[in-house]
Amino acid sequence: MDTPVLKCGNLVLGELDPVLRAVRDTGPVARVRTPAGDEAWLVTRLAELRQLLLDPRLGKTHPDPGARPRYVRTPMFDLAVSDAEPAAARERHGDIRGALVPHFTGRKMQRLADRVAAMVEQIDVVLAAGRPADLHNDFSLPLSFRILCDLVGVPDSDGFLALLLGAGEVGAEHAAAAALDELYAYLRELARHKRSTPGDDLASTLCEVIPDDADVSGLLPLASFSFLVTPSNLSAGIALLAGHPGQRDRVRADPRLLDTAVEEVLRVGRVAESCVPRYAAEDIAVADVVIRAGDLVLCDHYWTGFDDLVFADPERFDVGRRPNPHPAFSYVMSHCIGAPLARVELRAAYAALLRRMPDLRLAVPFTEIPMLGTELGEQVGGSIARLPMTW
C-alpha cells in the first residue's frame, strides 16, 4: 500500500477530508507523506494526540535541523525548530510562556475584551459599502490584525500583516525567506523602540526577559503567527452559521448559545490540516507503532475534532454541542495562551453580525467558498480566500 500524501484539495467546511478519513482508518497514528515529500507520523485520534502532546520526548528540537524531515517548505516552520537539548528547550519555552501568560488574565483580559468590542463595530464600514460583501477580507482579517497589533504593540498593522503573510507563504521559499528577513528587521527596530519606550504589550514583555533584540525578533513572528488562525476561524464560523440557517437562528433566538457556538466553530472551523511539526527525541511507543528518534510527528489539532470515538455525529454542526472537548488550543505547555482572547473575539464578532445582519447568508454555494491554494497562493494552515456574503 502506498503511503498517503497529505495534499488536501477542494475541502468543505465541517467535513472530514477523504484523504484524512482514509488515513484514520489505518490507525490512530499512521505513516503519511508530507506536502514537502518527507515521511511523517500523523496522529488522527484525540486520545493519542493528548498522550503525545503530554510526552516530554516530543518537541520542536532536532539534532540536525537542516536535514530533518519537513512538513511544508516554509521558513516560518524552520524558525520554530532548533538543535537545542530538549530539556533546555522546554525550560526556555516555560520561561517565555510564564512571562507572557499574565497578558491574558484578570484585568488585562477585560481591557482586551473592551477593545475587541469597540473594534467589532467596524462592521458599520461593511454595511455602508453595501452587499454582497467579502466578509473575510473586509471584516475578519482587518479585525483580527488590529487586535493582534494592539496586543503585540505594533503601530503599523498593514505593513506587519503584509510581512507576516509573506513569511508564511508555502512553496515559494525564496520569496518567503526574503519576507522573513524584512520581518526580522522590522521587529528588531520595534524591540529597540520598546526597550526605550516600553508599553503594556507582548513586545515590551519579551524585551524585559530577553536581552538580545535579535532573539526578540525571532520569537515575535512565532507568537504572532499563531494568531493567523483567528481570522480563518472567524470567517469559517460566519460561513458555518450562514450555511446552516437553522443553527444560526438558534443562536439568534437564544444568545446564551454563543459560547457553545464558538466552541463548535473551533472544533470544525478549519479548511486544511493544522500540523505544527514536532520531532521525537527518543523512541516513543504509542498505539501499535513505535515512533523512532528523529521522526517527524504531525499532531493535528483540528481533524482530531472529527474523532467519532469522542464526538457523536462529528460532521454535524451543532451550536449547542455539549460536551465538546475539542483540542483546537492544544494541551498543558502546548496550550495556546491566547485562547481567552480568541474566544472573546469570536463571540463579540458573531454577536455583532447576528445583531446587525440577522438574515446573514452566503452569496455562493457553501461548497464553493473560495479557498487559498485555489485562487491565491498557499498559506501555512490554509484559509478561506474570500467569503462572499449578503443579508
Side-chain angles (χ1 to χ4, degrees):
M1 178 180 174
D2 293 336
T3 304
V5 178
L6 288 182
K7 186 61 178 176
C8 302
N10 298 325
L11 297 173
V12 178
L13 280 172
E15 295 184 9
L16 182 61
D17 178 74
V19 172
L20 295 174
R21 189 190 306 278
V23 172
R24 188 181 69 183
D25 288 346
T26 68
V29 182
R31 283 301 251 180
V32 295
R33 190 168 298 281
T34 71
D38 295 326
E39 288 201 348
W41 295 99
L42 178 67
V43 187
T44 67
R45 294 287 186 183
L46 198 58
E48 286 73 19
L49 176 76
R50 183 176 177 84
Q51 177 185 340
L52 284 166
L53 288 173
L54 294 175
D55 194 317
R57 295 171 294 177
L58 190 69
K60 298 177 185 176
T61 65
H62 192 279
D64 187 359
R68 76 191 194 281
R70 300 170 76 182
Y71 169 42
V72 292
R73 299 193 180 280
T74 171
M76 188 62 73
F77 278 163
D78 295 343
L79 178 65
V81 181
S82 77
D83 60 359
E85 286 296 319
R90 287 195 300 275
E91 182 178 358
R92 185 168 187 261
H93 174 75
D95 290 344
I96 294 170
R97 182 183 177 86
L100 297 180
V101 163
H103 281 271
F104 300 93
T105 57
R107 286 184 299 172
K108 288 191 176 182
M109 194 64 242
Q110 183 55 55
R111 181 172 55 79
L112 285 170
D114 293 341
R115 290 187 194 178
V116 169
M119 291 180 186
V120 161
E121 292 308 315
Q122 75 172 44
I123 193 64
D124 289 338
V125 176
V126 177
L127 287 167
R131 54 195 170 207
D134 175 4
L135 287 192
H136 182 67
N137 291 290
D138 296 341
F139 180 69
S140 299
L141 272 176
L143 170 65
S144 296
F145 278 97
R146 284 180 62 197
I147 293 169
L148 170 62
C149 290
D150 189 58
L151 177 69
V152 174
V154 174
D156 177 14
S157 60
D158 290 340
F160 185 54
L161 169 60
L163 290 172
L164 201 59
L165 290 175
E169 194 169 345
V170 174
E173 288 187 86
H174 293 301
L180 187 59
D181 287 342
E182 287 188 63
L183 182 60
Y184 280 154
Y186 177 90
L187 292 173
R188 282 195 298 271
E189 184 59 36
L190 178 69
R192 282 192 286 270
H193 173 71
K194 294 297 181 181
R195 290 193 193 280
S196 60
T197 313
D200 186 16
D201 51 60
L202 295 188
S204 297
T205 298
L206 285 175
C207 287
E208 290 175 8
V209 298
I210 299 173
D212 191 320
D213 290 347
D215 288 342
V216 172
S217 71
L219 282 169
L220 278 173
L222 295 175
S224 302
F225 201 76
S226 62
F227 285 90
L228 284 177
V229 174
T230 306
S232 179
N233 280 143
L234 177 52
S235 290
I238 295 170
L240 286 163
L241 288 166
H244 298 81
Q247 298 296 313
R248 177 201 64 200
D249 292 345
R250 285 181 68 193
V251 179
R252 283 182 51 216
D254 184 1
R256 293 173 299 180
L257 287 173
L258 266 172
D259 289 335
T260 50
V262 165
E263 298 307 312
E264 185 71 338
V265 168
L266 290 168
R267 183 181 72 85
V268 300
R270 293 292 289 168
V271 294
E273 70 271 6
S274 178
C275 303
V276 175
R278 291 177 171 86
Y279 297 89
E282 304 173 21
D283 290 357
I284 303 172
V286 57
D288 57 352
V289 304
V290 176
I291 298 169
R292 298 300 180 187
D295 281 359
L296 170 59
V297 181
L298 301 175
C299 293
D300 196 305
H301 295 85
Y302 290 92
W303 294 127
T304 43
F306 289 88
D307 188 343
D308 54 3
L309 300 180
V310 178
F311 303 96
D313 196 3
E315 295 186 54
R316 176 171 56 89
F317 179 62
D318 179 4
V319 296
R321 184 182 293 273
R322 289 181 185 273
N324 193 349
H326 65 76
F329 294 122
S330 196
Y331 301 104
V332 195
M333 290 302 289
S334 296
H335 185 264
C336 175
I337 60 173
L341 179 58
R343 286 184 166 107
V344 164
E345 181 180 336
L346 295 180
R347 192 184 194 285
Y350 299 148
L353 287 167
L354 292 175
R355 183 175 66 252
R356 306 294 294 279
M357 302 173 174
D359 193 30
L360 186 67
R361 59 192 186 277
L362 289 161
V364 296
F366 189 79
T367 56
E368 296 178 16
I369 297 170
M371 303 292 180
L372 287 176
T374 54
E375 287 204 344
L376 304 170
E378 291 188 60
Q379 278 284 325
V380 172
S383 182
I384 288 172
R386 294 184 298 111
L387 187 58
M389 304 292 297
T390 189
W391 54 91

